[in-house]
Amino acid sequence: MLAIATIPDLLRLLVLPFFGYLAWRDVATRRVPNRTWIPVAILAVVLLIWELYVVTTGDFTGFQQRQFYIRVAISIGFIIPLTYLFWLIGGFGGADAKAFFVLAVLFPTYPQYSLGELGVGGALASIPVVQTTVGVFSLTILSNTVLAGAAYPVLLAGKNALTGYVSPGMFVAKPIQSEEAIEEYGTLLDFPDRRLIDDLSLDGLSAYFSWRRLDLDALRMYLQWRGITLDELRANPELYRDPETLPDEPNSPGDGMIETDGGVDQTEPPAAVDYDDPWGADAFLDDIESSAYGTTPEGLRDGLETLSDSEVVWISPGIPFLVPLFLGLIISFTYGDLLFTFLSAVGLA
């Protein structure tokens, strides 16, 4: 059964293996180089110009032309600013925002793929099956992606519940051995070690949910900059808490990707004292040229204290967002719009 579609829609199928590769890369490295987007961005612009020309000069009614232009305007004029806003407030990573920038240009309208007839004398089957009234395919991809991503906290909570950890943190964090922190991507969290929220006041809830402490990429940058391993830091925290033990010529911090770290062996810890800059956190952040993924000196200090004092720590692995995006694409190309189906079922669409 051969899929029949326009040439632009057939070319749009190329994004499926492309985003499959990006999803794999996002899991493996949490990084997508900017140059990766160039081919698919060029494809998106070329196909949009192609279809604008066809619709403008072809045998289309005025209503059909206006409908196409409106959908293009919604896709580009709404999706791009919305995802840019999410990036500004930290809801999206840079790669996530770029992905939706591309998809907004590539999919202003629904692609159509005819698969042949269903049975003898049956109707012509086509995908996507469910299309929205608005008809903006990038909106369908966005809503399906959000729904696919929403399943992750539920699965994480279920896994934590089976291990006996029941609290609001169970939806965002998982336990690991402290020495394994450099082998993970995510954020080291620190929240009250209790099963229920005791203080239901606004201040109590705010304090309970103020969990973010240290990005693990920033931790690897700090260790590389200082020239020590996490094992060395955990074995001798009093020594490395002293800013006087900072190297005279620190290493380049890198970008925090998971690599085998190397260090130096300093074995004589100083007496416990109060320092103006414990762990050299201010010195580290002042010396490097990046922001270390939003890490503050206080967050770095708190994270290092937690890692040096605790055998088990909790990290938020985060959601490699390109994974639910890839799932959302597959659902969108085949079934269509899940949210529209639900809203239609309850009489809201």
Side-chain angles (χ1 to χ4, degrees), residues 37-51:
W37 299 104
I38 295 175
V40 72
I42 292 174
L43 176 66
V45 172
V46 168
L47 294 183
L48 179 60
I49 293 173
W50 183 340
E51 291 193 328

Side-chain angles (χ1 to χ4, degrees), residues 84 179 202 323 329:
Y84 180 71
E179 62 268 19
L202 185 60
V323 175
L329 267 174

Side-chain angles (χ1 to χ4, degrees), residues 142-197:
L142 176 59
S143 63
N144 284 345
T145 297
V146 171
L147 292 175
Y152 176 78
V154 176
L155 295 174
L156 184 61
K159 179 180 178 181
N160 285 330
L162 292 175
T163 61
Y165 183 78
V166 180
S167 89
M170 68 193 292
F171 291 92
V172 296
K174 68 176 185 178
I176 64 168
Q177 296 295 316
S178 294
E179 62 268 19
E180 298 174 357
I182 57 169
E183 301 170 8
E184 298 276 354
Y185 286 112
T187 303
L188 178 69
L189 301 183
D190 184 16
F191 39 80
D193 185 16
R194 57 178 181 251
R195 292 179 176 268
L196 298 173
I197 301 175

Side-chain angles (χ1 to χ4, degrees), residues 6 8-9 12 44 47-48 51-52 55 60 64-76 79 102-113 127-128 130-141 329 332-333:
T6 64
D9 282 351
R12 287 184 171 99
L47 294 183
L48 179 60
E51 291 193 328
L52 282 170
V55 170
F60 291 86
Q64 290 173 324
Q65 289 177 335
R66 288 192 299 273
Q67 189 178 55
F68 179 79
Y69 299 148
I70 289 171
R71 287 170 177 171
V72 170
I74 293 174
S75 185
I76 295 176
I79 293 293
V102 168
L103 293 174
V105 179
L106 191 60
F107 293 110
T109 61
Y110 274 76
Q112 292 289 332
Y113 304 98
I127 55 174
V130 177
Q131 301 186 23
T132 65
T133 304
V134 175
V136 179
F137 194 56
S138 57
L139 281 175
T140 288
I141 296 171
L329 267 174
S332 300
F333 265 89

Side-chain angles (χ1 to χ4, degrees), residues 193-254:
D193 185 16
R194 57 178 181 251
R195 292 179 176 268
L196 298 173
I197 301 175
D198 298 326
D199 183 359
L200 295 178
S201 68
L202 185 60
D203 289 341
L205 290 172
S206 175
Y208 191 91
F209 284 95
S210 297
W211 295 342
R212 184 179 176 89
R213 285 297 180 269
L214 175 61
D215 189 290
L216 296 180
D217 284 346
L219 170 65
R220 282 182 285 272
M221 291 173 64
Y222 171 81
L223 294 173
Q224 181 170 319
W225 175 83
R226 191 160 184 171
I228 62 174
T229 66
L230 181 58
D231 287 341
E232 289 169 339
L233 183 144
R234 282 173 42 78
N236 228 336
E238 285 297 336
L239 172 67
Y240 297 111
R241 196 176 286 116
D242 184 356
E244 292 297 321
T245 62
L246 294 176
D248 293 331
E249 296 184 6
N251 300 316
S252 169

